[in-house]
Amino acid sequence: MYKNNKDGENKRGGYQKNRSGSNVGGAPTRYTKKGDRNASTKIQLPPDGSRMIAFGKNSVSEACKAGIAKHIHIRKGTNLYDVDFNAKVSVHSSEEYAQLFPNAVSGSAVEVVTPLLRSLRANTHLGNLVLVLDKVQDPQNFGAIIRAAYSFNFHSIIIQRHSQVKVTPTVFSASAGCVAHVKLFEVVNLPEGVETLSNLGYKIYSTASEGTNIDDITIPERAAVILGSEGKGVRSKLADLANEQITIPMTQGADSLNVSQAAAITMHYFHRGNAKYTD
């Protein structure tokens, strides 16, 4: 069930301890004693919010790859055979796991260090493609956008400090853990952030209901794409800073796309067009 390497795998697929008493992931496997089960409580996070719990195999795997996993909790019988663990692992009975995570929809959870929100500076290396989000507030959308951004080489995302969802457990899970691999930059004033990108040599694009067909644009070496909020789209003062308004062609009569869908399509276009450049 939980395989780590050939030396540590037993025939039934469970964790096999080595001579030092630790599992093959290199950290002790801790089990709650039967007498302690009734005393189990929900996971308590540090008061400073520096860590959080995310659920699902992808979240566990990506957190381990990024080196931000601190403690992995697994419900006995959950299949995580191909995850390369590099953190403390605890295996729990169904009852214990339910006590720890009463609302969990997955049999695995990982305590992670909250991804760092960086400051945007003139000398920051952002990569060729940058995403700017204008007040996206739904955590599922934000997570899905992050997942697409990582998939299409948008490894830098700029968000506003206020009126924007932050990285929550829902965002982490919705991103399938990809939030661990992108750079998140937080700015007080988003228009000023866009102007900084322009000064750094990025051509600015803003998504709109009417604009240049995305099929017809020539992707530059350095580009930044602004995506708007779920209800209002890109604000006019941000759209006015763009070098070009772009739109996704759709079937006649179709209204609009969800922001995460529009983000994935748009970023795919830019990733494909930017492939001829080296980052």
mmCIF file of all heavy atoms in Angstrom, residues 139-156:
data_model
loop_
_atom_site.group_PDB
_atom_site.id
_atom_site.type_symbol
_atom_site.label_atom_id
_atom_site.label_comp_id
_atom_site.label_asym_id
_atom_site.label_seq_id
_atom_site.Cartn_x
_atom_site.Cartn_y
_atom_site.Cartn_z
ATOM 1 N N PRO A 139 -11.558 30.224 -4.039
ATOM 2 C CA PRO A 139 -10.355 29.398 -3.834
ATOM 3 C C PRO A 139 -10.225 28.254 -4.833
ATOM 4 O O PRO A 139 -9.104 27.894 -5.211
ATOM 5 C CB PRO A 139 -10.512 28.878 -2.401
ATOM 6 C CG PRO A 139 -11.961 29.044 -2.076
ATOM 7 C CD PRO A 139 -12.431 30.222 -2.849
ATOM 8 N N GLN A 140 -11.356 27.682 -5.269
ATOM 9 C CA GLN A 140 -11.275 26.616 -6.277
ATOM 10 C C GLN A 140 -10.744 27.172 -7.598
ATOM 11 O O GLN A 140 -9.915 26.537 -8.262
ATOM 12 C CB GLN A 140 -12.653 25.982 -6.481
ATOM 13 C CG GLN A 140 -13.175 25.171 -5.303
ATOM 14 C CD GLN A 140 -12.457 23.845 -5.139
ATOM 15 O OE1 GLN A 140 -11.689 23.407 -5.997
ATOM 16 N NE2 GLN A 140 -12.717 23.168 -4.025
ATOM 17 N N ASN A 141 -11.212 28.337 -7.979
ATOM 18 C CA ASN A 141 -10.719 28.969 -9.201
ATOM 19 C C ASN A 141 -9.238 29.305 -9.087
ATOM 20 O O ASN A 141 -8.457 29.063 -10.011
ATOM 21 C CB ASN A 141 -11.513 30.248 -9.501
ATOM 22 C CG ASN A 141 -12.874 29.962 -10.107
ATOM 23 O OD1 ASN A 141 -13.104 28.906 -10.685
ATOM 24 N ND2 ASN A 141 -13.785 30.911 -9.971
ATOM 25 N N PHE A 142 -8.866 29.882 -7.952
ATOM 26 C CA PHE A 142 -7.465 30.263 -7.754
ATOM 27 C C PHE A 142 -6.562 29.029 -7.834
ATOM 28 O O PHE A 142 -5.518 29.055 -8.494
ATOM 29 C CB PHE A 142 -7.319 30.963 -6.405
ATOM 30 C CG PHE A 142 -5.970 31.600 -6.173
ATOM 31 C CD1 PHE A 142 -5.194 32.067 -7.223
ATOM 32 C CD2 PHE A 142 -5.476 31.743 -4.882
ATOM 33 C CE1 PHE A 142 -3.954 32.663 -7.000
ATOM 34 C CE2 PHE A 142 -4.252 32.339 -4.643
ATOM 35 C CZ PHE A 142 -3.479 32.797 -5.698
ATOM 36 N N GLY A 143 -6.973 27.949 -7.180
ATOM 37 C CA GLY A 143 -6.175 26.731 -7.223
ATOM 38 C C GLY A 143 -6.061 26.165 -8.631
ATOM 39 O O GLY A 143 -4.979 25.732 -9.066
ATOM 40 N N ALA A 144 -7.176 26.158 -9.355
ATOM 41 C CA ALA A 144 -7.161 25.642 -10.725
ATOM 42 C C ALA A 144 -6.285 26.501 -11.633
ATOM 43 O O ALA A 144 -5.572 25.983 -12.510
ATOM 44 C CB ALA A 144 -8.583 25.583 -11.274
ATOM 45 N N ILE A 145 -6.320 27.818 -11.435
ATOM 46 C CA ILE A 145 -5.475 28.721 -12.216
ATOM 47 C C ILE A 145 -4.003 28.452 -11.941
ATOM 48 O O ILE A 145 -3.171 28.409 -12.857
ATOM 49 C CB ILE A 145 -5.833 30.188 -11.899
ATOM 50 C CG1 ILE A 145 -7.212 30.533 -12.477
ATOM 51 C CG2 ILE A 145 -4.778 31.139 -12.462
ATOM 52 C CD1 ILE A 145 -7.753 31.864 -12.001
ATOM 53 N N ILE A 146 -3.657 28.263 -10.675
ATOM 54 C CA ILE A 146 -2.267 27.974 -10.311
ATOM 55 C C ILE A 146 -1.807 26.676 -10.959
ATOM 56 O O ILE A 146 -0.680 26.584 -11.475
ATOM 57 C CB ILE A 146 -2.121 27.908 -8.779
ATOM 58 C CG1 ILE A 146 -2.322 29.296 -8.165
ATOM 59 C CG2 ILE A 146 -0.758 27.347 -8.395
ATOM 60 C CD1 ILE A 146 -2.423 29.290 -6.659
ATOM 61 N N ARG A 147 -2.672 25.685 -10.951
ATOM 62 C CA ARG A 147 -2.314 24.400 -11.563
ATOM 63 C C ARG A 147 -2.032 24.565 -13.052
ATOM 64 O O ARG A 147 -1.046 24.022 -13.583
ATOM 65 C CB ARG A 147 -3.451 23.392 -11.349
ATOM 66 C CG ARG A 147 -3.129 21.983 -11.827
ATOM 67 C CD ARG A 147 -4.246 21.031 -11.472
ATOM 68 N NE ARG A 147 -3.900 19.646 -11.792
ATOM 69 C CZ ARG A 147 -4.675 18.600 -11.543
ATOM 70 N NH1 ARG A 147 -5.849 18.791 -10.952
ATOM 71 N NH2 ARG A 147 -4.290 17.380 -11.862
ATOM 72 N N ALA A 148 -2.885 25.321 -13.750
ATOM 73 C CA ALA A 148 -2.672 25.576 -15.171
ATOM 74 C C ALA A 148 -1.429 26.418 -15.399
ATOM 75 O O ALA A 148 -0.675 26.190 -16.357
ATOM 76 C CB ALA A 148 -3.902 26.252 -15.770
ATOM 77 N N ALA A 149 -1.193 27.403 -14.528
ATOM 78 C CA ALA A 149 -0.017 28.264 -14.667
ATOM 79 C C ALA A 149 1.266 27.436 -14.613
ATOM 80 O O ALA A 149 2.180 27.626 -15.426
ATOM 81 C CB ALA A 149 -0.015 29.331 -13.578
ATOM 82 N N TYR A 150 1.332 26.539 -13.659
ATOM 83 C CA TYR A 150 2.521 25.691 -13.543
ATOM 84 C C TYR A 150 2.661 24.781 -14.763
ATOM 85 O O TYR A 150 3.771 24.555 -15.252
ATOM 86 C CB TYR A 150 2.435 24.855 -12.265
ATOM 87 C CG TYR A 150 3.607 23.930 -12.077
ATOM 88 C CD1 TYR A 150 4.895 24.434 -11.909
ATOM 89 C CD2 TYR A 150 3.437 22.546 -12.053
ATOM 90 C CE1 TYR A 150 5.977 23.584 -11.735
ATOM 91 C CE2 TYR A 150 4.507 21.693 -11.887
ATOM 92 C CZ TYR A 150 5.777 22.216 -11.725
ATOM 93 O OH TYR A 150 6.854 21.373 -11.560
ATOM 94 N N SER A 151 1.542 24.309 -15.278
ATOM 95 C CA SER A 151 1.574 23.407 -16.430
ATOM 96 C C SER A 151 2.053 24.112 -17.699
ATOM 97 O O SER A 151 2.644 23.481 -18.580
ATOM 98 C CB SER A 151 0.174 22.822 -16.678
ATOM 99 O OG SER A 151 -0.276 22.089 -15.554
ATOM 100 N N PHE A 152 1.786 25.425 -17.798
ATOM 101 C CA PHE A 152 2.090 26.153 -19.029
ATOM 102 C C PHE A 152 3.181 27.206 -18.842
ATOM 103 O O PHE A 152 3.230 28.206 -19.557
ATOM 104 C CB PHE A 152 0.808 26.798 -19.581
ATOM 105 C CG PHE A 152 -0.241 25.784 -19.956
ATOM 106 C CD1 PHE A 152 -1.535 25.896 -19.479
ATOM 107 C CD2 PHE A 152 0.068 24.711 -20.778
ATOM 108 C CE1 PHE A 152 -2.509 24.954 -19.814
ATOM 109 C CE2 PHE A 152 -0.891 23.767 -21.118
ATOM 110 C CZ PHE A 152 -2.178 23.885 -20.638
ATOM 111 N N ASN A 153 4.061 26.955 -17.878
ATOM 112 C CA ASN A 153 5.292 27.742 -17.734
ATOM 113 C C ASN A 153 5.070 29.174 -17.275
ATOM 114 O O ASN A 153 5.937 30.029 -17.451
ATOM 115 C CB ASN A 153 6.107 27.739 -19.039
ATOM 116 C CG ASN A 153 7.595 27.916 -18.784
ATOM 117 O OD1 ASN A 153 8.123 27.452 -17.779
ATOM 118 N ND2 ASN A 153 8.281 28.596 -19.687
ATOM 119 N N PHE A 154 3.919 29.465 -16.674
ATOM 120 C CA PHE A 154 3.718 30.740 -16.005
ATOM 121 C C PHE A 154 4.116 30.533 -14.543
ATOM 122 O O PHE A 154 3.275 30.257 -13.689
ATOM 123 C CB PHE A 154 2.255 31.173 -16.085
ATOM 124 C CG PHE A 154 1.862 31.819 -17.379
ATOM 125 C CD1 PHE A 154 1.718 31.074 -18.535
ATOM 126 C CD2 PHE A 154 1.626 33.187 -17.442
ATOM 127 C CE1 PHE A 154 1.338 31.663 -19.730
ATOM 128 C CE2 PHE A 154 1.250 33.800 -18.630
ATOM 129 C CZ PHE A 154 1.101 33.039 -19.780
ATOM 130 N N HIS A 155 5.381 30.649 -14.249
ATOM 131 C CA HIS A 155 5.854 30.307 -12.915
ATOM 132 C C HIS A 155 5.847 31.485 -11.960
ATOM 133 O O HIS A 155 6.274 31.358 -10.816
ATOM 134 C CB HIS A 155 7.257 29.697 -12.996
ATOM 135 C CG HIS A 155 7.259 28.330 -13.604
ATOM 136 N ND1 HIS A 155 8.412 27.623 -13.858
ATOM 137 C CD2 HIS A 155 6.238 27.542 -14.017
ATOM 138 C CE1 HIS A 155 8.098 26.452 -14.398
ATOM 139 N NE2 HIS A 155 6.792 26.384 -14.503
ATOM 140 N N SER A 156 5.355 32.648 -12.421
ATOM 141 C CA SER A 156 5.215 33.818 -11.558
ATOM 142 C C SER A 156 3.786 34.345 -11.665
ATOM 143 O O SER A 156 3.280 34.551 -12.770
ATOM 144 C CB SER A 156 6.199 34.920 -11.964
ATOM 145 O OG SER A 156 7.535 34.524 -11.718
#
